[in-house]
Amino acid sequence: MSDEEVYIGSVDQGTTSTRFIIYDRSARAIASHQVEFTQFYPEAGWVEHDPMEILESVKVCMAKAIDKATASGYNVDGGLKAIGLTNQRETTLVWSKSTGCPLYNAIVWMDARTSSICRKLEQELPGGRTHFVETCGLPISTYFSAVKLLWLKENVDAVKEALQKGNALFGTVDTWLIWNLTGGIDGGGLHVTDVSNASRTMLMNLKTLDWDQPTLDTLGIPAESLPKIISNSEVIGEIAKGWPIPGVPISGCLGDQHAAMLGQACRKGEAKSTYGTGAFILLNTGEEVIQSKHGLLSTLAFKLGPDAPTNYALEGSIAIAGAAVQWLRDSLGIISSASEIEDLASSVESTGGVYFVPAFNGLFAPWWRDDARGVCIGITRFTNKSHIARAVLESMCFQVKDVLDSMHKDAGEKGEAKNEKGEFLLRVDGGATVNNLLMQIQADLLGNPVVRPADIETTALGAAYAAGLAVGIWTENDIFDSGERAENVTIFRPKWDEGLRKKKVDSWCKAVSRTFDLADLCLS
């Protein structure tokens, strides 16, 4: 088989763009295509996507990436063995079983319209905000799919009626894509989700890996509207006619952060941080569910086959990371492209005492304050746009440190893997990690080395690994024991002394405290 051309495709459906990447047997990307799609902001704090536009973006990316690979001399048509899929998590869709049409736009994970539903649940349920934590690992928050589904049920007549008549199909983006990729309304589309995406709905029992019936009863969600839960690595079905690669199996599916963990080959005790629209830090806790006492989420890491062991994780989710750079570009016009921020921020030695907290729609881990709003403090006549740019970069790193500090407390010394020098390494990935200044600030703030792989798009790679594993292209040893990958990394080591680090962190905490209780500021 060594002479045969073998390829695995990966759909990476993110918050602001979609990509399709084709990998060879050595897990090297040989072709890719990426398209951005429309962000809808109907009201303050609301964020929506058009489900049909998402489908079209996947179709375009597949076709263009295959064209590029073919033009480069690769026989992808004959050699594509399977595709994996990874997606923005929590984003919620409901569509009609009989027509296949979406009944509303997709409500995006960072959308905050459900805050009143969350408050109501917290007041009515005996466990308050943590009522469901024991079963699903998640607090009641605007972040998760269940409360978005409740909003749709209460506010969209078409959804309410479809749920009553048994004509509603609920799903996160993975479910919507797989249903359509496998034929949809015309070809008996498969209504499934994987364990990692299901673990972000607030509806799945982390121990049984099935929908939790008492939770469904409490929230009034009919079980028949929910997809079947499967593992992250198994042959799910074949791509239907009408798509660029009909007949190719879909054999891997993970939520984006779980895919990045697999792409980074995170074993038990190892952590990764993905810097995208938001930032997401996950620590593999092995086969043990650790309930956080410090504001983190208990979630699934991955389950690499129907009979494979389940790996769990502690997660800290940060709503605004790279999105703050987009805000500097699109809303303030301080930069004209995201790549400019590194040079601008590097033109000053420090922020000049400016601290920026991007609580645009509230704060996620470890604070969980949906009443928070963004602040920029410490401004003087000395402050210029370079200081603000540097403060935006620092804000990402401070938030990651907040989460890792909580992880250290929850996991303890035994729960963390260290290298031969006794150092805890943070693996990083995602588009923003090309920024060397950002990575150096992160290492300085943590006081630990930061490790960046040669291929920073580990999310798509993780989905490809899961798909290749299921069809026998790779083994778990191939994925987790790649010495070549370990050698081909960039390591950022901390340069600050502990005194400076402590002063900066204390100032940051002061800035965070200033964001609380600002959601009711007059908008007129």
Side-chain angles (χ1 to χ4, degrees), residues 209-232:
L209 306 184
D210 207 347
W211 302 118
D212 189 66
Q213 193 59 50
T215 302
L216 300 183
D217 294 342
T218 299
L219 297 176
I221 293 172
E224 61 268 19
S225 66
L226 304 179
K228 177 187 175 186
I229 300 173
I230 58 173
S231 79
N232 299 121

Side-chain angles (χ1 to χ4, degrees), residues 89 109 129 137-144 200 278-282 292-299 314-321 357-359 361-370 372 395-407 410 508 512 515-516:
R89 305 172 304 167
W109 57 271
R129 195 172 74 88
L138 311 175
I140 294 169
S141 165
T142 60
Y143 187 15
F144 305 115
R200 313 298 297 180
F280 303 88
I281 306 92
L282 280 84
S292 175
K293 294 180 172 62
H294 300 94
L296 302 180
L297 311 174
S298 302
T299 196
L314 279 171
E315 175 173 343
S317 311
I318 294 161
I320 304 293
V357 187
N361 284 356
L363 287 170
F364 286 175
W367 309 96
W368 297 106
R369 296 289 297 247
D370 59 16
S395 75
M396 294 189 222
C397 302
F398 277 120
Q399 291 181 97
V400 170
K401 179 173 169 53
D402 287 342
V403 167
L404 279 166
D405 285 348
S406 294
M407 275 181 181
D410 281 329
W508 163 256
V512 169
T515 69
F516 300 159

Side-chain angles (χ1 to χ4, degrees), residues 162-296:
L163 284 166
Q164 287 170 346
K165 292 182 176 177
N167 188 38
L169 295 178
F170 157 82
T172 40
V173 171
D174 58 306
T175 304
W176 170 244
L177 291 179
I178 291 170
W179 191 78
N180 282 283
L181 282 164
T182 55
I185 190 66
D186 299 321
L190 298 171
H191 190 219
V192 299
T193 188
D194 75 89
V195 283
S196 65
N197 275 296
S199 77
R200 313 298 297 180
T201 59
M202 237 170 68
L203 301 174
M204 188 188 85
N205 186 305
L206 274 182
K207 303 269 174 58
T208 66
L209 306 184
D210 207 347
W211 302 118
D212 189 66
Q213 193 59 50
T215 302
L216 300 183
D217 294 342
T218 299
L219 297 176
I221 293 172
E224 61 268 19
S225 66
L226 304 179
K228 177 187 175 186
I229 300 173
I230 58 173
S231 79
N232 299 121
S233 181
E234 61 182 272
V235 176
I236 300 164
E238 290 186 353
I239 295 176
K241 290 175 183 172
W243 289 88
I245 42 175
V248 172
I250 304 168
S251 58
C253 182
L254 307 93
D256 51 8
Q257 303 314 317
H258 314 266
M261 272 201 108
L262 185 57
Q264 289 271 31
C266 284
R267 296 184 179 90
K268 180 180 179 181
E270 296 177 340
K272 69 90 202 172
S273 179
T274 300
Y275 301 75
T277 304
F280 303 88
I281 306 92
L282 280 84
L283 174 75
N284 188 331
T285 59
E287 295 179 45
E288 179 187 5
V289 180
I290 294 180
Q291 296 289 356
S292 175
K293 294 180 172 62
H294 300 94
L296 302 180

Side-chain angles (χ1 to χ4, degrees), residues 373-451:
R373 289 298 178 267
V375 301
C376 188
I377 63 171
I379 298 169
T380 66
R381 283 294 299 271
F382 173 69
T383 304
N384 63 38
K385 63 183 181 181
S386 300
H387 296 115
I388 304 247
R390 195 174 183 106
V392 166
L393 292 184
E394 283 195 357
S395 75
M396 294 189 222
C397 302
F398 277 120
Q399 291 181 97
V400 170
K401 179 173 169 53
D402 287 342
V403 167
L404 279 166
D405 285 348
S406 294
M407 275 181 181
H408 295 322
K409 292 170 189 169
D410 281 329
E413 285 289 317
K414 289 181 182 174
E416 293 176 344
K418 294 183 177 176
N419 66 9
E420 61 281 358
K421 296 178 184 174
E423 298 170 316
F424 178 77
L425 306 178
L426 178 66
R427 291 158 175 77
V428 297
D429 54 73
T433 60
V434 298
N435 187 320
N436 289 328
L437 177 61
L438 178 72
M439 295 295 93
Q440 187 57 54
I441 293 170
Q442 189 67 82
D444 289 338
L445 267 176
L446 293 177
N448 287 315
V450 166
V451 181

Side-chain angles (χ1 to χ4, degrees), residues 47-119:
V47 190
E48 295 177 2
H49 293 156
D50 176 353
M52 302 309 291
E53 188 183 3
I54 287 176
L55 283 186
E56 186 59 26
S57 72
V58 172
K59 192 172 280 190
V60 167
C61 287
M62 280 181 169
K64 297 276 191 186
I66 289 164
D67 286 348
K68 289 177 184 178
T70 304
S72 298
Y74 298 103
N75 179 24
V76 175
D77 282 338
L80 193 63
K81 300 304 180 189
I83 72 159
L85 191 151
T86 181
N87 58 286
Q88 51 168 320
R89 305 172 304 167
E90 297 98 16
T91 296
T92 300
L93 302 94
V94 179
W95 63 98
S96 164
K97 190 188 296 184
S98 56
T99 70
C101 295
L103 300 176
Y104 193 78
N105 272 349
I107 301 181
V108 179
W109 57 271
M110 67 177 80
D111 183 286
R113 76 185 67 186
T114 55
S115 53
S116 59
I117 292 175
C118 293
R119 294 296 80 73

